[in-house]
């Protein structure tokens, strides 16, 4: 989704994306993707999509249905710093 700038990322697209790609996951799948997604985001510049990224992360965390930590403290600090600067 984030790699296709021709796609208009509006509220409906995001809701459909979550419904079709996150809500269908089992909890362990959502957790695995959440871990990968955070790592991926920290290697790329998506500052213009802060709302969408935070919404997708929240949906994955909800679907994972766990309190297990999905990022390291270093990743959390990088993520927070990255989006505070955006």
């Amino acid at each position: 989704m984030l790699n296709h700038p021709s796609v208009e990322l509006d509220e409906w697209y995001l809701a459909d994306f979550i419904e079709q790609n996150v809500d269908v996951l089992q909890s362990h799948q959502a957790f695995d993707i959440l871990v990968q997604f955070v790592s991926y985001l920290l290697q790329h510049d998506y500052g213009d999509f802060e709302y969408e990224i935070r919404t997708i992360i929240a949906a994955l965390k909800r679907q994972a249905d766990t309190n297990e930590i999905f990022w390291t403290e270093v990743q959390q600090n990088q993520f927070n710093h990255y989006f505070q600067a955006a």
Side-chain angles (χ1 to χ4, degrees):
M1 177 176 90
L2 297 174
N3 287 326
H4 295 91
S6 62
V7 173
E8 185 177 336
L9 296 176
D10 61 12
E11 186 176 334
W12 289 111
Y13 183 87
L14 185 59
D16 290 344
F17 176 85
I18 289 171
E19 183 179 302
Q20 295 170 7
N21 297 286
V22 176
D23 293 346
V24 297
L25 299 172
Q26 294 183 21
S27 62
H28 69 278
Q29 293 171 312
F31 183 82
D32 290 344
I33 291 171
L34 182 58
V35 170
Q36 293 172 18
F37 189 53
V38 168
S39 294
Y40 177 83
L41 288 174
L42 292 174
Q43 297 172 15
H44 298 81
D45 180 17
Y46 292 114
D48 293 340
F49 300 106
E50 179 179 357
Y51 172 79
E52 290 83 359
I53 288 169
R54 289 182 184 271
T55 302
I56 292 168
I57 287 175
L60 285 167
K61 188 170 183 328
R62 181 190 76 270
Q63 191 69 17
D65 193 29
T66 183
N67 289 328
E68 189 173 349
I69 296 171
F70 58 90
W71 51 15
T72 67
E73 187 174 338
V74 170
Q75 286 177 318
Q76 183 179 9
N77 290 337
Q78 286 176 319
F79 188 82
N80 290 337
H81 175 73
Y82 176 76
F83 283 111
Q84 287 174 357

